[in-house]
Amino acid sequence: MSSQATAAFWSKTDKYLMTTGVPFSPVVITRAQGTRLYDANNKQILDFTSGQMSSLLGHSHPEIVEVVKKYVSELDHLLKHMITHPVVDLAERLARFLPSPLQKSFFLNTGSETTEAAIKMAKCYTGKFEIVAFSASYHGLTQGAGAATFSAGRKNGGPTMPGQLAFPAPYAYRSPFKKSDGSYDWETELEFGWSMIDRQSVGSLAAFIMEPILSTGGILDPPPGYLTRMSEECKRRGMLIIMDEAQTGVGRTGRMFAFEDEGVVPDILALSKTLGCGLPLASVSTTAEIERGCKEAGFLWLTTHLNDPLTAAVGNKVLEIVERDNICQKALDRGAQLRAGLLKLQEKYWCIGDVRGRGLLQGIEIISDAKTKAPGSDLGQAVSDKAMELGLSCNVVNLPGMGGVFRLAPSVTVTQEEIEEGLRILDDAFGFVLSQKS
């Protein structure tokens, strides 16, 4: 694209497109294929964020493209009470992956929708209204989901929904709760968190909504035993567990669902992003008992694209490919390779304070001082910008209290060679930025 055409494009952008709080990328993408993006000058960019953490099988996967072509020409969208074969087929296939007693599902578009619906279900079923979420949570920015989101988006949008309570996020790298040997004392932190919840609660605790790995909050992976203990504490208080697996579900972490590592089964499971492989598909799954209780309480959920056949057909194909191609194992293999490379970079560059994550959802936290571990948001942004210039798209979380955390989540179809390529670009980006600052 010529400089004149580029100038005209950005002029139209500034004139007609409203900003929503996130700065526009200066790179204009014209095509996406597999793990590659292509800009207006046909420059290749390796995508280590899977789009918006969604394109699990890569961009424009040929089998997904064929499904879209078929259903957009035959069966795209209907009245919401008209149930079709693709919707029932997806519900049946998803149920095969769900641990008992999870069985019943319905299908929406986005993660925010699923958490809104799940929260309302919890309130209907329990007859209570208080919702607990982690202090680094991100469950969406619609009214109910946004009220349960504590990592971003809370300023000047209040008041939030009543009954929202924050629980300290399991942030081992920065937690003030330490044992005498300096290790993370998550048990004491968890007990402290529940003591604060019990003091604040008015006796109407309905549910705890949580991500098994907090992604936007900085790739916070709870220590072994944490989710099991959380489940016990919730049950003790008569609370439901809503598990939001928007970014961790459908194989990315090496398991079909990240909560499976500890055998914890949520009462309500929300999937989105990865289920549609980049298309707007999300699901809410629960037990027959909770469905019964919600029905008796008059639960109502209507949206324009509830149970749409086109996206359901896509989700069915995604699950078929995940099972057929052993996607979970691929996520483990490539994730181990990516993590090993990131640990080598940590040895090489003092500003990488921590490496964490599971499978192909990895994070590296950037610090500005090796002794104090002061957050390195500006440094992280500089590295991210340089990496993009060199041909790698990686996502930096720059939220208050989070420092600069890279979220690295390539599609699970990424190759060994592409992982090495991405690591080389990161190496070059860190080396360049630090040399400029020395």
Side-chain angles (χ1 to χ4, degrees), residues 308-319:
D308 260 359
L310 190 157
T311 48
V314 168
N316 198 28
K317 177 58 71 172
V318 169
L319 293 182

Side-chain angles (χ1 to χ4, degrees), residues 100-120:
S100 179
L102 294 177
Q103 177 185 352
K104 312 274 282 189
S105 301
F106 61 96
F107 303 100
L108 303 169
N109 296 140
T110 70
S112 293
E113 273 190 298
T114 64
T115 53
E116 290 282 356
I119 287 170
K120 186 173 182 181

Side-chain angles (χ1 to χ4, degrees), residues 58-76:
H59 298 282
S60 302
H61 188 286
E63 291 182 71
I64 302 298
V65 170
E66 287 306 309
V67 170
V68 172
K69 284 180 179 178
K70 172 180 170 63
Y71 280 91
V72 80
S73 65
E74 295 179 7
L75 187 60
D76 54 357

Side-chain angles (χ1 to χ4, degrees), residues 1-10 26-30 39-42:
M1 192 160 66
S2 69
S3 57
Q4 186 176 8
T6 300
F9 173 83
W10 287 113
V27 180
V28 181
I29 302 300
T30 58
D39 72 5
N41 298 310
N42 207 36

Side-chain angles (χ1 to χ4, degrees), residues 6-29:
T6 300
F9 173 83
W10 287 113
S11 177
K12 286 194 293 184
T13 299
D14 292 340
K15 185 174 183 178
Y16 298 114
L17 196 60
M18 177 177 166
T19 58
T20 59
V22 180
F24 298 132
S25 167
V27 180
V28 181
I29 302 300

Side-chain angles (χ1 to χ4, degrees), residues 96-341:
R96 296 211 306 265
F97 294 102
L98 296 173
S100 179
L102 294 177
Q103 177 185 352
K104 312 274 282 189
S105 301
F106 61 96
F107 303 100
L108 303 169
N109 296 140
T110 70
S112 293
E113 273 190 298
T114 64
T115 53
E116 290 282 356
I119 287 170
K120 186 173 182 181
M121 288 167 63
K123 291 179 178 181
C124 283
Y125 180 73
T126 64
K128 298 182 284 187
F129 73 93
E130 291 177 311
I131 304 295
V132 182
F134 284 126
S135 58
S137 61
Y138 190 98
H139 298 292
L141 292 178
T142 50
Q143 198 66 18
T149 291
F150 290 99
S151 65
R154 297 184 70 83
K155 302 298 183 185
N156 301 319
T160 62
M161 299 289 286
Q164 297 300 139
L165 304 175
F167 192 95
Y171 196 176
Y173 186 64
R174 295 192 178 278
S175 175
F177 289 85
K178 302 290 184 183
K179 296 180 180 178
S180 58
D181 61 1
S183 61
Y184 179 33
D185 188 359
W186 64 266
E187 292 98 335
T188 301
E189 182 180 61
L190 188 144
E191 290 168 2
F192 170 78
W194 279 113
S195 72
M196 295 301 294
I197 295 299
D198 291 338
R199 283 177 172 84
Q200 295 173 78
S201 172
V202 298
S204 191
L205 291 169
F208 197 130
I209 183 169
M210 65 182 76
E211 303 160 86
I213 301 173
L214 286 78
S215 178
T216 301
I219 311 296
L220 307 183
D221 189 5
Y226 189 94
L227 291 183
T228 299
R229 177 71 183 280
M230 288 296 286
S231 177
E232 293 168 354
E233 295 294 338
C234 287
K235 284 184 172 66
R236 188 172 294 131
R237 292 164 176 82
M239 301 170 66
L240 300 186
I241 293 178
I242 301 169
M243 200 68 74
D244 180 0
E245 292 237 18
Q247 296 189 28
T248 54
V250 198
R252 178 173 290 287
T253 66
R255 291 270 200 165
M256 192 64 186
F257 311 111
F259 66 75
E260 292 180 300
D261 269 7
E262 291 197 26
V264 171
V265 179
D267 300 287
I268 304 173
L269 171 65
L271 301 174
S272 52
K273 293 182 182 292
T274 53
L275 181 62
C277 197
L279 275 78
L281 175 66
S283 68
V284 180
S285 301
T286 192
T287 67
E289 163 60 23
I290 291 176
E291 184 205 32
R292 180 200 58 76
C294 286
K295 186 176 181 179
E296 291 177 358
F299 173 72
L300 177 67
W301 197 265
L302 299 175
T303 64
T304 302
H305 295 284
L306 173 70
N307 291 335
D308 260 359
L310 190 157
T311 48
V314 168
N316 198 28
K317 177 58 71 172
V318 169
L319 293 182
E320 176 190 326
I321 294 170
V322 165
E323 184 174 30
R324 182 195 72 202
D325 295 351
N326 201 6
I327 288 298
C328 292
Q329 187 60 49
K330 289 184 178 180
L332 285 176
D333 294 342
R334 296 286 71 76
Q337 180 191 359
L338 177 59
R339 187 179 186 86

